[in-house]
Amino acid sequence: MTIVPSRRQFLKASGALLMIGAAPAARGQIARAIDEATRGRPLATSEVDAFFAIHGDGSVTLFSGKVDLGTGLRIAYRQIVAEELGVGVDRIHLVEGDTALTPNQGPTSGSTGIAQGGMQIRRAAATARAALIDMAAQRLGVPVADLDTENGEIRARNGGASVGFGALIGDRRFALKVDAKASLRNPATYRVVGKPVPRPDLPAKLTGRHVYIHDFAVEGMLHGRVARPPSIGASLASVDESSIAQIPRARIVRIKDFLGVVAADEWDAVRALAALKAKWNDGPALIGDAALPEWMRSAEAAAGDETPLKRGDVATAFAGNQKRIEAAYYWPMQSHASMGPSCAVADMRNDGATIWCGSQGTHRWAQAFAKLLGLPDDKVRMIYLDGAGCYGTNGHEDAAMDAALLSRAVGRPVRVQWSREDEHGWDPKGPPQLLRLEASLSPEGKIEAWRTEMWVTKATANLPHIPLLGADAAGIPQQQGFSTGLVTGNGDPPYDMPNMELRVHWLKSAPLRTSNLRAPGKIGNVMAVEAFMDELAFTAGKDPLEFRIAAIKNPRGLEVLRKVGEMMRWEPRATPRRDGKGRGVAYTHYKNNETLLAMGMDVEVDAKSGVIRVLRVACAHDCGQIISPDNVRAQVEGCILQTISRALFEEVKFDAKAVTSTDWSSYPILTMPDAPKLDIALIDRSTEPPMGAGEAAASPVAAAIANAVFDATGARLRYVPFTPERVKQTLDSVPRAG
């Protein structure tokens, strides 16, 4: 789908963004980019012109369909282009996630920002560089082989004449296909890639000048709020319109079961929602969070079994083996728990719609909104603006649908900002996981056979998007189903063993709406696999780090394990300390073919209170080629801290009607005073493909904590979150040492 609005339409839609969102020095570049767009630039990813516009002054506008969700892509993409094209980082302006201006590179998810999106940009830049050198060779009369690009010019390698990019192609198109075989620069010659370069967005963010979606406004905009029913699936019986009569500037909007208010002043909208009286018919009863593990094993929940991986003969290997153990692990439903509430602005017109929001998949969602709103695909334009961290699909798109429905009803642009209760109570949740692991050891203490069984919600086939709250309430037809992400990933251990089996018991549904949440499925699966590895090492009478090293063949896996051993000053020991302080280790080969990392952890456990405190985390991280080391380090840090929070604190609570953990007291997270010391070793393999850093380091965290707690106490934690109550209960079941 491509959208090429008229210049008037574009400027009208983006005027506020230009004035509010851009520094003065950037406005000229943005205006030029807009001009390019309005002259019908191609948007197909096969075209060089879809990614770049080179202007008369030699500056470059990069158009990216993937967006910077706080991960640092804004500088990483510039570094890639600067290196391959031969232009200064400060001469590159970035337009991201605007469906009218950028190529559809797919959603920004699954750690693919660099590994896929960045590599598309690298190939396009290399193709452009070759084209520029060809042009310069003709103009300068110098052989192609004697020319190179540097600082926005094509120069003879041995000195002499040169010509700038702008003089060669300024404000004209390449009209070239991206060459998949375009010659890339030798990593040995890199000047920008692999170096720490300041992020261009940080000064404005650190000084409060950055425009987030929450700050964004367009002329004539109203503010909206949406009433949530008291129970999930409830229908609206009646509305008392007189209940907001004391707020004359507010207006009620009802579309079937969709109920909202709009007002010119945001506080009026907030007051009107609080005053609004309505009667609801309750929806069907939910099972409640306490019954969830039992429900997952029930016939009522079952949707069929599958064995996606089988090697050797596990059943025969298990038969008669005396060194055979099993254990079960549970990962609960969790919220995205975005620190800021979801927010969006929508401007619905008779001939189309423009929607601004923090979605990580604007191209995909623009098509979804077109269908839901009954508009042609090319009449919905979605523009990315920074929102709160989402780590998957949170409430951004729901807020956008709320805003679109209100805007269509009142004929004005409408901004909707969710409340904290909306965010925790109604965002789509990460689905629960239940795992049962069983393994046997040879007389020598090697893993002879392994079976992983998991009970997980089956993703609905061909589901175009998660069902949106507003569309359901308004009676707009949309496919129902569950989005979960690749939840079976890393359920099989990354170790050498002759017999292995992965069985999946699919669940036909989930008690709450689901979506992908950072490293979907992999964190729970690695928690089970790596905690069980620790149990096997103990059963075999071996040190847990040496047990892993002996069971792994991947040389890069061995390197990160040995590196983290050095960082932890690991001394082999086969039995737990049980003195309240402990160490743990875990290993991940993310998705079995991406980033490799090992993580060590020091914890202390208060036996009286059950409180776990993570003191130090050591992480050896190999994600292939590193484009921007500062950003990779920041991603690893973020993965670790967020997952410590998920492992120790986070669980969605719900009763028969709705989610009850709707604030930071009932859904606590890690706070700054509890953040541990982080030691991170990045292994840069400049000649290898980059593999992504946005998720992998999250996966071994819970296992490393559980293993360290065992070392500290002799107790095995298998049920997340590791709350003080659960820890205390587990400790009380373990015989005291000595």
Side-chain angles (χ1 to χ4, degrees):
M1 178 193 72
T2 58
I3 303 174
V4 183
S6 71
R7 180 181 177 83
R8 178 179 297 277
Q9 287 172 323
F10 186 93
L11 290 172
K12 194 170 184 179
S14 297
L17 175 61
L18 282 172
M19 295 305 293
I20 298 172
R27 289 177 190 161
Q29 291 175 313
I30 297 174
R32 285 193 293 273
I34 292 170
D35 192 53
E36 285 290 330
T38 56
R39 283 187 277 161
R41 281 178 45 257
L43 295 181
T45 55
S46 59
E47 303 288 332
V48 171
D49 293 311
F51 292 98
F52 303 112
I54 295 180
H55 309 294
D57 64 358
S59 65
V60 177
T61 296
L62 165 64
F63 299 91
S64 169
K66 291 187 181 290
V67 300
D68 188 338
L69 299 163
T71 58
L73 287 184
R74 286 174 184 140
I75 187 59
Y77 283 176
R78 283 176 168 91
Q79 288 178 260
I80 291 170
V81 174
E83 193 72 69
E84 285 300 332
L85 198 55
V87 65
V89 166
D90 61 345
R91 300 284 286 159
I92 302 169
H93 175 68
L94 175 66
V95 175
E96 56 183 321
D98 183 332
T99 58
L101 299 177
T102 64
N104 183 356
Q105 296 177 268
T108 311
S109 61
S111 287
T112 61
I114 294 293
Q116 294 179 15
M119 296 307 97
Q120 287 177 307
I121 290 169
R122 172 176 282 173
R123 289 289 177 192
T127 305
R129 170 167 49 86
L132 288 166
I133 288 176
D134 280 343
M135 294 178 207
Q138 295 177 32
R139 178 172 297 193
L140 300 175
V142 177
V144 165
D146 293 342
L147 295 174
D148 199 359
T149 58
E150 184 177 350
N151 291 332
E153 293 183 333
I154 297 90
R155 300 172 180 171
R157 297 180 191 276
N158 57 357
S162 66
V163 60
F165 291 177
L168 283 175
I169 198 171
D171 296 321
R172 292 184 290 113
R173 296 178 193 162
F174 285 95
L176 279 175
K177 298 288 184 185
V178 175
D179 181 0
K181 298 181 179 178
S183 178
L184 303 177
R185 290 198 186 276
N186 184 343
T189 69
Y190 279 174
R191 300 178 179 179
V192 186
V193 165
K195 307 294 190 297
V197 180
R199 288 171 51 166
D201 52 330
L202 288 188
K205 286 181 174 177
L206 295 172
T207 55
R209 294 177 290 115
H210 187 76
V211 177
Y212 291 90
I213 180 62
H214 310 78
D215 308 309
F216 179 68
V218 296
E219 186 177 354
M221 184 184 80
L222 303 178
H223 294 270
R225 292 292 189 274
V226 175
R228 305 296 170 194
S231 64
I232 292 173
S235 59
L236 183 57
S238 63
V239 180
D240 179 2
E241 298 197 5
S242 66
S243 59
I244 67 164
Q246 72 278 18
I247 312 169
R249 293 171 295 183
R251 173 182 167 184
I252 294 172
V253 173
R254 178 181 179 180
I255 310 168
K256 193 174 177 294
D257 297 324
F258 178 86
L259 181 62
V261 294
V262 294
D265 182 86
E266 185 173 15
W267 183 237
D268 281 344
V270 172
R271 289 198 303 135
L273 182 67
L276 184 62
K277 293 181 179 178
K279 293 183 178 179
W280 300 84
N281 299 313
D282 279 343
L286 305 176
I287 60 172
D289 60 271
L292 188 50
E294 181 181 355
W295 174 82
M296 294 172 75
R297 283 180 177 271
S298 69
E300 174 193 358
D305 298 338
E306 184 179 355
T307 304
L309 186 60
K310 187 173 184 179
R311 183 170 65 238
D313 188 342
V314 171
T316 300
F318 279 167
N321 191 308
Q322 300 301 310
K323 281 198 171 182
R324 178 176 163 191
I325 65 170
E326 63 179 69
Y329 302 85
Y330 176 71
W331 192 271
M333 299 200 85
Q334 293 183 327
S335 172
H336 292 78
S338 300
M339 296 294 288
S342 296
C343 183
V345 176
D347 187 4
M348 289 285 296
R349 304 295 176 94
N350 292 332
D351 58 349
T354 304
I355 299 169
W356 295 263
C357 79
S359 173
Q360 61 187 56
T362 52
H363 282 274
R364 184 182 66 180
W365 278 101
Q367 296 179 45
F369 273 76
K371 184 175 182 180
L372 292 170
L373 297 171
L375 293 168
D377 282 354
D378 62 352
K379 296 300 182 184
V380 173
R381 178 185 181 189
M382 187 169 279
I383 302 171
Y384 173 80
L385 283 177
D386 284 339
C390 48
Y391 318 110
T393 305
N394 64 348
H396 287 321
E397 292 81 9
D398 283 303
M401 177 52 73
D402 293 345
L405 291 172
L406 293 172
S407 175
R408 185 161 65 179
V410 301
R412 299 264 295 273
V414 173
R415 170 186 178 275
V416 169
Q417 178 175 308
W418 277 19
S419 66
R420 176 50 47 198
E421 291 75 17
D422 286 337
E423 199 70 43
H424 274 64
W426 294 90
D427 80 315
K429 313 299 183 190
Q433 296 168 256
L434 185 65
L435 294 103
R436 178 182 175 276
L437 275 59
E438 186 176 10
S440 61
L441 296 167
S442 71
E444 296 79 24
K446 295 182 178 180
I447 302 172
E448 193 171 68
W450 178 299
R451 176 182 290 146
T452 296
E453 291 183 88
M454 61 174 66
W455 288 258
V456 289
T457 300
K458 189 171 188 175
T460 303
N462 302 316
L463 186 70
H465 54 81
I466 64 167
L468 295 180
L469 297 172
D472 272 347
I476 297 173
Q478 60 179 336
Q479 184 177 345
Q480 299 297 312
F482 294 88
S483 173
T484 60
L486 301 175
V487 291
T488 63
N490 289 115
D492 53 317
Y495 299 103
D496 183 44
M497 59 189 73
N499 306 289
M500 207 287 290
E501 188 174 289
L502 173 62
R503 290 183 183 175
V504 182
H505 305 285
W506 292 112
L507 308 178
K508 60 186 177 185
S509 65
L512 302 172
R513 194 170 56 132
T514 61
S515 75
N516 51 323
L517 175 58
R518 195 174 199 170
K522 271 73 80 179
I523 298 176
N525 295 337
V526 173
M527 188 273 287
V529 167
E530 285 297 299
F532 195 59
M533 276 295 288
D534 228 59
E535 301 201 33
L536 283 169
F538 179 73
T539 303
K542 297 188 177 184
D543 173 79
L545 178 58
E546 292 189 340
F547 185 69
R548 286 172 170 80
I549 289 173
I552 199 168
K553 287 187 174 179
N554 188 316
R556 292 170 70 171
L558 284 170
E559 183 173 342
V560 294
L561 277 166
R562 287 170 175 151
K563 180 64 179 177
V564 89
E566 294 174 11
M567 297 168 75
M568 294 287 289
R569 297 182 180 178
W570 193 276
E571 294 182 359
R573 177 160 44 79
T575 56
R577 289 175 51 158
R578 303 188 67 174
D579 63 356
K581 291 189 176 181
R583 65 182 188 181
V585 66
Y587 166 73
T588 300
H589 187 182
Y590 195 63
K591 301 178 186 175
N592 292 330
N593 59 10
E594 295 185 5
T595 295
L596 307 97
L597 69 144
M599 189 170 292
M601 206 168 287
D602 289 325
V603 307
E604 65 179 10
V605 183
D606 185 333
K608 292 183 178 178
S609 65
V611 171
I612 297 171
R613 182 171 173 78
V614 179
L615 303 175
R616 175 184 178 237
V617 179
C619 177
H621 190 276
D622 173 2
C623 63
Q625 184 187 67
I626 294 176
I627 306 298
S628 180
D630 284 353
N631 288 317
V632 171
R633 188 176 300 277
Q635 284 301 291
V636 174
E637 291 175 354
C639 283
I640 293 171
L641 294 176
Q642 184 184 26
T643 314
I644 289 175
S645 179
R646 293 174 68 179
L648 295 184
F649 302 104
E650 299 185 34
E651 181 176 17
V652 173
K653 297 290 188 180
F654 59 100
D655 60 17
K657 289 189 172 183
V659 173
T660 57
S661 50
T662 57
D663 56 31
W664 296 118
S665 295
S666 53
Y667 193 90
I669 60 173
L670 186 77
T671 56
M672 288 297 289
D674 291 324
K677 182 177 187 294
L678 302 177
D679 292 329
I680 297 165
L682 301 179
I683 299 172
D684 184 7
R685 300 188 188 277
S686 62
T687 59
E688 297 289 337
M691 297 187 290
E695 294 181 340
S699 56
V701 170
I705 294 174
N707 297 338
V709 169
F710 174 73
D711 190 42
T713 67
R716 293 290 184 189
L717 299 180
R718 303 187 181 105
Y719 196 112
V720 171
F722 305 143
T723 62
E725 296 76 18
R726 288 191 181 128
V727 172
K728 189 75 169 54
Q729 186 177 23
T730 305
L731 292 180
D732 290 343
S733 68
V734 176
R736 299 291 182 188

